[in-house]
Amino acid sequence: MPEFPAPADLHPSEDPADAAPLQFVDILLKLGLASPALTILEPVAGFPILTERSLQSERVTIQKTKAYMLQRRFEDGARELTAMLQKGDRHRDAWYLMGECLYQIGNMQDAASAFETGSAFLLAAADPVPALRLGTCYLHLGRWKEAHQKLNESIEIRPTALAWQGVGMALYRSGELARACEALQEANYFDPENAQVWANLAMVCCRQGPEQTY
């Protein structure tokens, strides 16, 4: 039998002695204060606040990634997560964060793959964002049917103008103009001041012909 890595090697935990500063970092991140959070998480030469065990832990990696994302340093966030996921890839939240980082830098192919991997760990979806992001990635990749399916999953959790607009465009690209128009009308209901929704709705209505009235 092969010798498998110990669980502590795959999912390194933080040092219990660092519980207080790490809880404080969680509070800072919830408040959107990335810079003071990174002051704690990134050791200054000769003056580390956290122990080496904590600095190598999954919790600190996730915290650093979230701080980078708040600063829109998505490449740095993806780099942090890549190193962590190479050690052990059974971490749903890490895959979702990776997907978001890749999505924000425009790497839709790899973003879709990351969201797909994260979704595989999810038994009951409670957050509409992963399905919304994955559906949007599929739109960019021209995978209309899959985009429609994932965006509908997002709508079932929480309907939004962005999700309905994506459904409308997926249907439009599939040639289902009447259903596309209905979906875009739903998007308009949720965000009547969204100029992009109005533009897409006008485009679809023009494609349908002058005989269509709403």
Side-chain angles (χ1 to χ4, degrees):
M1 293 292 291
E3 183 177 349
F4 294 102
D9 294 331
L10 291 176
H11 301 282
S13 60
E14 65 275 12
D15 191 329
D18 289 329
L22 292 177
Q23 288 175 359
F24 184 54
V25 169
D26 287 333
I27 294 172
L28 291 172
L29 293 174
K30 286 182 180 179
L31 294 173
L33 301 174
S35 293
L38 288 172
T39 301
I40 298 172
L41 298 173
E42 295 182 324
V44 179
F47 299 96
I49 297 176
L50 304 176
T51 65
E52 184 62 26
R53 173 180 168 182
S54 291
L55 291 172
Q56 298 301 319
S57 69
E58 286 189 350
R59 181 177 180 182
V60 167
T61 299
I62 294 295
Q63 289 178 328
K64 287 175 69 175
T65 300
K66 290 179 178 179
Y68 290 148
M69 293 172 73
L70 286 171
Q71 294 181 334
R72 304 195 64 79
R73 295 165 57 187
F74 298 110
E75 293 89 350
D76 291 334
R79 193 176 302 114
E80 284 286 328
L81 292 169
T82 297
M84 185 183 100
L85 291 171
Q86 286 175 344
K87 299 176 183 177
D89 62 358
R90 305 293 294 179
H91 199 303
R92 184 195 68 191
D93 292 340
W95 282 112
Y96 282 161
L97 291 172
M98 175 68 89
E100 184 66 21
C101 288
L102 295 170
Y103 175 89
Q104 292 293 340
I105 62 179
N107 187 345
M108 297 299 169
Q109 185 70 53
D110 289 342
S113 178
F115 283 124
E116 288 168 347
T117 303
S119 298
F121 299 109
L122 194 60
L123 298 178
D127 184 355
V129 174
L132 175 62
R133 285 289 194 252
L134 182 52
T136 305
C137 289
Y138 287 152
L139 276 179
H140 283 277
L141 297 170
R143 296 162 63 175
W144 315 126
K145 183 176 180 180
E146 293 164 292
H148 186 191
Q149 177 185 348
K150 281 297 172 183
L151 291 166
N152 268 334
E153 289 180 15
S154 174
I155 289 169
E156 289 173 2
I157 301 169
R158 186 186 308 148
T160 62
L162 187 59
W164 275 116
Q165 180 177 217
V167 169
M169 296 315 296
L171 291 168
Y172 169 73
R173 294 294 187 180
S174 300
E176 300 185 52
L177 299 183
R179 293 180 64 198
C181 192
E182 292 173 0
L184 290 168
Q185 287 176 320
E186 289 290 339
N188 182 255
Y189 170 80
F190 283 98
D191 188 1
E193 297 182 1
N194 189 316
Q196 188 62 54
V197 172
W198 278 109
N200 290 335
L201 184 57
M203 176 183 65
V204 173
C205 290
C206 287
R207 286 288 306 274
Q208 284 188 285
E211 71 278 5
Q212 297 293 334
T213 58
Y214 296 94

